[in-house]
Amino acid sequence: LRQVSNGNLLAILNRHYQDLTCLCFTDDSSHFLSGAKDCLALVWNLYSVLQAEPSQIPDPRHVWSRHSLPITDLCCGFGGPLARAATASLDQTAKLWEISSGELLLSVLFDVGIMAVTLDLSEYHMFCGGMDGSIFQVDLCAWVTGHERPFQTERENGKVFKGHRNQVTCLSVSTDGSLLLSGSHDETVRLWDIQSKQCLKTMNHKG
């Protein structure tokens, strides 16, 4: 953890057992999350980390250990310490958590490993990017909390974006919730209209 203005090293956290894959702050920067190949997602209280003695490694506020394969992505909603966070994993699940209690709210099981996850601003939808190039839209209001349920394309009719030919590695939703941006190993970035699931624009990259 470093201070941007002067580059000073403030803390070194060494609690994961394998390579880190993702990091993010809550919107108020009171907490941050780390995900790794050790299948763990850790929630850190920034104040506790900064107050710890240099010789001590502070304890994370929560250790989320419900994934069975490496975590590939995570994102935080809004609300600071009261926010919800989503994690994606190669174990073919995306999970939604409550930061304040550490409770698992929802687990969605897919047919493919999940490489990317994001929430829209209102947190009505969770978008999950798959290894096969599909992007799945999970309507959070329609799911019962605390249950693991398979995502079934037939029942969730019209909730899959199809177009990428390789794994989807990053996702972002526009502020008004109408557009989805996706990046993939097929060397394209695609812009989608969320309501119609149509691809509006494809931008090619050389890598």
Side-chain angles (χ1 to χ4, degrees):
L1 190 69
R2 295 180 179 274
Q3 190 153 359
V4 174
S5 56
N6 54 24
N8 284 354
L9 180 63
L10 303 177
I12 297 175
L13 303 174
N14 188 14
R15 282 295 298 267
H16 283 285
Y17 305 105
Q18 292 184 40
D19 299 351
L20 267 90
T21 53
C22 42
L23 291 164
C24 73
F25 271 108
T26 54
D27 61 325
D28 68 345
S29 298
S30 65
H31 292 74
F32 60 95
L33 284 73
S34 58
K37 288 183 179 178
D38 60 8
C39 315
L40 299 177
L42 305 183
V43 180
W44 303 88
N45 180 306
L46 181 64
Y47 179 79
S48 301
V49 168
L50 294 178
Q51 290 304 305
E53 293 294 319
S55 58
Q56 288 181 309
I57 296 176
D59 288 324
R61 180 170 175 185
H62 301 300
V63 177
W64 291 335
S65 57
R66 301 285 288 273
H67 284 291
S68 56
L69 284 172
I71 290 172
T72 51
D73 195 18
L74 49 80
C75 73
C76 270
F78 282 84
L82 300 176
R84 300 187 296 178
T87 54
S89 170
L90 294 179
D91 67 7
Q92 303 187 352
T93 69
K95 299 185 190 295
L96 191 68
W97 310 81
E98 188 174 67
I99 290 178
S100 56
S101 66
E103 186 185 346
L104 176 62
L105 301 176
L106 181 68
S107 181
V108 186
L109 178 64
F110 299 91
D111 292 332
V112 294
I114 301 300
M115 300 300 297
V117 65
T118 193
L119 299 163
D120 64 2
L121 211 56
S122 60
E123 295 181 31
Y124 286 152
H125 307 296
M126 179 168 68
F127 298 91
C128 306
M131 292 276 289
D132 65 349
S134 300
I135 302 166
F136 307 97
Q137 178 183 320
V138 179
D139 295 340
L140 296 176
C141 303
W143 288 65
V144 184
T145 12
H147 289 258
E148 175 159 302
R149 204 179 98 189
F151 181 95
Q152 294 176 319
T153 312
E154 297 78 30
R155 203 188 308 165
E156 309 285 339
N157 189 28
K159 300 295 195 302
V160 182
F161 300 77
K162 288 195 172 290
H164 283 298
R165 296 180 308 282
N166 206 330
Q167 59 184 271
V168 176
T169 51
C170 46
L171 294 167
S172 182
V173 184
S174 63
T175 311
D176 65 0
S178 67
L179 299 170
L180 176 69
L181 200 59
S182 60
S184 166
H185 276 192
D186 67 8
E187 303 184 356
T188 67
V189 170
R190 287 177 179 260
L191 186 67
W192 307 84
D193 176 67
I194 289 176
Q195 192 166 8
S196 68
K197 311 289 179 289
Q198 295 299 308
C199 180
L200 304 176
K201 191 171 178 63
T202 302
M203 291 146 276
N204 294 297
H205 286 269
K206 292 182 179 177

